[in-house]
């Protein structure tokens, strides 16, 4: 059985770390190298990392750099044939790594992509890989795998979650091609940047039916926290993915997907501006909403944007397109108060 390296960035997660680490230690697949990367934690996370008594664990304490750059430290220290990334506020089922490994070996693949479970306070939602059971060869990986990670296309259900934490990666592909993560402080989604480089070098991908990764909807995560620059960061990612798609020859496959994502993030960013207007001040919030609506990239996308979406989304899209700021404000007020 090949050694598998599990890379776990750790930052101020003392309330979740035991759950995460124990779920890795209890894996049915035993030949693991577990790298815990304390990214300058200011709580007890660093001490917790040092407290685990298992010879498979390697602990690294480092200055704070963020998720992407911390994962890179793990990649450089990894010695396993394969690599798994796990976020320290999540956890995995006891059979996840074994299932992904057996699926990969059985199908002679270098990469195996599973699904995941989204864990809410009151429910659990399974997100099965929509292509489970499929083998994708090198000449189809860009169009059949990577393209699907660029975002949803209207109401189609063919989106592949681009997050790296439910995938068994080949360390050889990563190292040989010098593939690393950018900082999430540079791109709002460092995973998709990594994916564009990794999957363009993969040779055979297997789509697993495993849903052993548990993604927890914890309060205060990067995706739920207010960020005044959220939309501008998304625009930067949009332009980067636009350029990469053209270079990889998959632009026509992903154009609708990156457009849909940009418009969706515009709606969400405006909603958050209204939601946090009491803390930030109504005048500032209104100014930020105007700034988003007048963004030249968004204006260009909305000019001929007619992808299939819900009626509620279309109404908001039209309000943004027509710069109807006041009606947009009250629409988001209703959404925030009543969830309509």
């Amino acid at each position: 059985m090949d050694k598998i390296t599990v890379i776990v960035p750790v930052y101020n997660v003392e309330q979740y770390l035991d759950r995460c680490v124990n779920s890795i230690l209890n894996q049915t697949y035993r030949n693991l190298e577990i790298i815990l990367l304390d990214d300058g934690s200011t709580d007890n996370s660093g001490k917790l990392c040092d407290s685990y008594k298992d010879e498979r664990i390697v602990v690294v304490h480092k200055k704070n750099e963020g998720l992407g750059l911390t994962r890179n430290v793990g990649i450089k220290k990894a010695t396993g044939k394969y690599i798994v990334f796990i976020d320290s506020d999540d956890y995995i089922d006891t059979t996840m790594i074994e299932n992904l490994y057996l699926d990969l070996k059985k199908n002679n693949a270098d990469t195996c992509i599973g699904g995941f479970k989204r864990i809410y306070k009151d429910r659990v939602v399974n997100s099965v890989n929509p292509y489970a059971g499929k083998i994708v060869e090198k000449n189809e990986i860009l169009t059949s795998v990577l393209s699907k990670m660029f975002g949803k296309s209207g109401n189609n259900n063919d989106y592949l979650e681009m997050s790296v934490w439910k995938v068994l990666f080949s360390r050889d592909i990563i190292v040989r091609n010098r593939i690393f993560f950018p900082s999430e402080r540079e791109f709002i989604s460092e995973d998709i940047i990594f994916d564009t480089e990794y999957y363009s070098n993969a040779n055979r991908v297997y789509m697993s039916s495993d849903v052993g990764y548990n993604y927890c909807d914890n309060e205060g995560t990067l995706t739920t926290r207010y960020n005044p620059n959220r939309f501008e960061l998304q625009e930067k990612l949009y332009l980067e993915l636009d350029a990469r798609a053209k270079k990889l020859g998959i632009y026509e496959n992903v154009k609708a997907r990156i457009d849909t994502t940009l418009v969706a993030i515009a709606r969400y960013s405006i909603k958050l501006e209204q939601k946090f207007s009491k803390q930030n001040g109504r005048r500032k919030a209104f100014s930020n909403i105007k700034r988003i609506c007048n963004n030249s990239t968004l204006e260009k996308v909305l000019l001929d944007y007619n992808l299939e979406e819900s009626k509620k989304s279309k109404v908001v899209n039209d309000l943004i397109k027509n710069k109807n700021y006041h009606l947009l404000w009250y629409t988001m007020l209703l959404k925030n108060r009543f969830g309509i």
Side-chain angles (χ1 to χ4, degrees), residues 103-241:
D103 280 346
L104 179 145
K105 300 302 282 188
K106 181 180 179 180
N107 294 281
N108 195 30
D110 52 44
T111 309
C112 185
I113 304 174
F116 64 102
K117 294 188 289 292
R118 191 178 292 271
I119 311 297
Y120 297 96
K121 286 183 178 179
D122 59 346
R123 67 192 190 282
V124 176
V125 179
N126 279 2
S127 292
V128 180
N129 185 327
Y131 304 98
K134 184 177 180 180
I135 298 170
V136 186
E137 302 287 357
K138 185 173 182 62
N139 61 338
E140 297 179 338
I141 291 174
L142 292 181
T143 55
S144 299
V145 179
L146 180 61
S147 294
K148 304 296 193 300
M149 296 178 174
F150 274 61
K152 296 180 180 179
S153 181
N155 288 330
N156 294 339
N157 294 318
D158 63 350
Y159 172 58
L160 261 177
E161 178 66 50
M162 52 76 189
S163 297
V164 299
W165 33 247
K166 54 178 176 39
V167 184
L168 191 59
F169 292 101
S170 162
R171 185 172 71 90
D172 179 65
I173 290 175
I174 294 172
V175 172
R176 183 159 33 87
N177 296 285
R178 299 180 181 180
I179 302 170
F180 293 106
F181 290 89
S183 170
E184 70 278 6
R185 298 166 187 174
E186 179 183 4
F187 292 106
I188 197 167
S189 175
E190 71 283 356
D191 288 15
I192 187 61
I193 300 297
F194 180 91
D195 288 337
T196 60
E197 297 184 15
Y198 181 87
Y199 290 104
S200 58
N201 288 287
N203 295 300
R204 187 177 173 91
V205 177
Y206 182 73
M207 304 295 203
S208 175
S209 61
D210 181 79
V211 289
Y213 192 95
N214 296 285
Y215 174 78
C216 299
D217 188 47
N218 301 314
E219 293 182 6
T221 60
L222 288 174
T223 53
T224 58
R225 193 183 307 157
Y226 173 76
N227 182 343
N229 301 313
R230 180 184 296 273
F231 181 75
E232 282 70 27
L233 288 170
Q234 189 65 44
E235 180 196 18
K236 183 179 181 180
L237 179 64
Y238 173 92
L239 296 173
E240 179 69 21
L241 293 180

Side-chain angles (χ1 to χ4, degrees), residues 10 12-14 17 38 41-50:
V10 176
N12 289 358
V13 286
E14 59 181 340
L17 190 57
D38 171 27
S41 296
T42 57
D43 65 359
N44 289 317
S45 296
K47 292 180 180 178
L48 275 174
C49 287
D50 291 330

Side-chain angles (χ1 to χ4, degrees), residues 254-269:
V254 306
K255 175 68 165 63
R257 295 177 187 275
I258 60 175
D259 283 356
T260 299
T261 302
L262 185 72
V263 173
I265 296 298
R267 292 195 302 263
Y268 184 59
S269 299

Side-chain angles (χ1 to χ4, degrees), residues 11 97 113 118 167 171 183 243 275 300 304 325 328 336:
Y11 179 71
I97 292 177
I113 304 174
R118 191 178 292 271
V167 184
R171 185 172 71 90
S183 170
K275 181 178 180 179
K300 184 177 179 182
D304 55 357
Y325 309 121
L328 185 59
N336 285 322

Side-chain angles (χ1 to χ4, degrees), residues 6-14 16-17 20-21 24 34-41 45-46 49 58 60 62 64-75 83-90 164-165 181 184 190-191 213:
V6 183
I7 295 175
V8 187
V10 176
Y11 179 71
N12 289 358
V13 286
E14 59 181 340
Y16 305 119
L17 190 57
C20 175
V21 173
I24 300 169
I34 305 163
I35 303 179
L36 303 181
L37 299 153
D38 171 27
D39 186 32
S41 296
S45 296
C49 287
V58 177
V60 177
K62 57 184 288 296
N64 180 258
E65 294 179 292
L67 181 62
L69 300 186
T70 298
R71 284 174 175 163
N72 292 342
V73 174
I75 289 173
I83 289 178
V84 173
F85 297 101
I86 299 176
D87 288 351
S88 52
D89 54 351
D90 298 329
V164 299
W165 33 247
F181 290 89
E184 70 278 6
E190 71 283 356
D191 288 15
Y213 192 95

